Amino acid sequence: MSATDFLLLAGGGFLAGIVNSIAGGGTFLSFAAMIACGLNALEANATSAVAITPSNLATVAAYRNEVKSHWREFIPFAVIGVIGGAVGAWLLIWLGNAGFRPLVPWLLLFATLLFAFSGPIRRFVEPWSVRAETGVRIAAYLLMVVVSIYGGFFGAGIGFVILAALLILEGGDYHKANAIRITIAFLIQAVAAVLLIFGGLVHWPHAIVTMIAASIGGYCGVGWARMLPDKIVRAVVVAIGAALTVIFFIRP
């Protein structure tokens, strides 16, 4: 690993940890760093997923008071996250790089659009968060299942969709929902990481550098979340996602 690669991975990992703790979407940064260091799309996705997992745990630790207060309510979401993450990772391993690479620009486009239109989506969700209709709650749980599978498969953008579903299920309690979001994201990626490691897709030197940097960024990000405007963070994520999308559509 060259000095340039080290700096790319450390910088991308640190920023990914911060962004994940504030708004989600840090995977864009770590994935981009892996690609810039020469990994193929499948290896970059798997290595990034493994590297980011401890940073999510660090962020969960920072939200430990919320987790302790509502741990019983976390159980159904935890089960969904574990099963969905395992299914998504299995699909990724089964496809291999030849099957995964053509999907990358479309996955990036989907995730980027989620962030770009996060405001309208959240405004659409908010009225539903004060309702308790059975149909609405079932739809929100089904969305959680789909997002969990997607999270084990790719991961970029899952934080926002999880948060949207949780705001419906938790009656608009943002801090509680955000604590659950971070916990679920950790469980999804932790289960996926185990399968990806056994699948032999992880480049450990790249993963370890990113892992340490992202864990530091994830813990620091919880405090900074109260100071940084969400719009600025989201704009940066959208710009990076858009650039990656264009690159992968153009790049053979």
Side-chain angles (χ1 to χ4, degrees), residues 40-158:
N40 67 38
L42 181 62
E43 294 168 340
N45 184 47
T47 304
S48 174
V50 171
I52 292 299
T53 300
S55 74
N56 285 334
L57 178 59
T59 309
V60 170
Y63 271 106
R64 56 188 173 275
N65 291 333
E66 287 84 355
V67 173
K68 287 179 182 177
S69 300
H70 305 290
W71 68 270
R72 288 184 179 84
E73 298 166 66
F74 281 46
I75 294 175
F77 302 119
V79 172
I80 291 172
V82 167
I83 295 174
V87 172
W90 177 82
L91 286 172
L92 182 64
I93 295 168
W94 178 73
L95 277 176
N97 189 61
F100 176 69
R101 175 60 182 81
L103 298 176
V104 172
W106 298 103
L107 291 168
L108 289 168
L109 177 62
F110 171 72
T112 301
L113 289 175
L114 280 177
F115 279 94
F117 293 99
S118 60
I121 292 173
R122 184 163 182 175
R123 285 193 293 274
F124 174 78
V125 167
E126 282 174 351
W128 298 96
S129 68
V130 297
R131 303 178 186 181
E133 288 95 335
T134 301
V136 173
R137 294 183 65 82
I138 290 175
Y141 274 113
L142 289 175
L143 178 60
M144 290 287 292
V145 172
V146 173
V147 173
S148 295
I149 294 173
Y150 168 75
F153 185 78
F154 187 58
I158 64 168

Side-chain angles (χ1 to χ4, degrees), residues 32 79 88 99 125 127 134 147 151-152 163 168 183 196 200 202 212 225 234:
V79 172
V125 167
T134 301
V147 173
L163 186 59
I168 294 174
T183 304
L196 295 172
V202 179
I212 295 171
R234 203 167 298 282

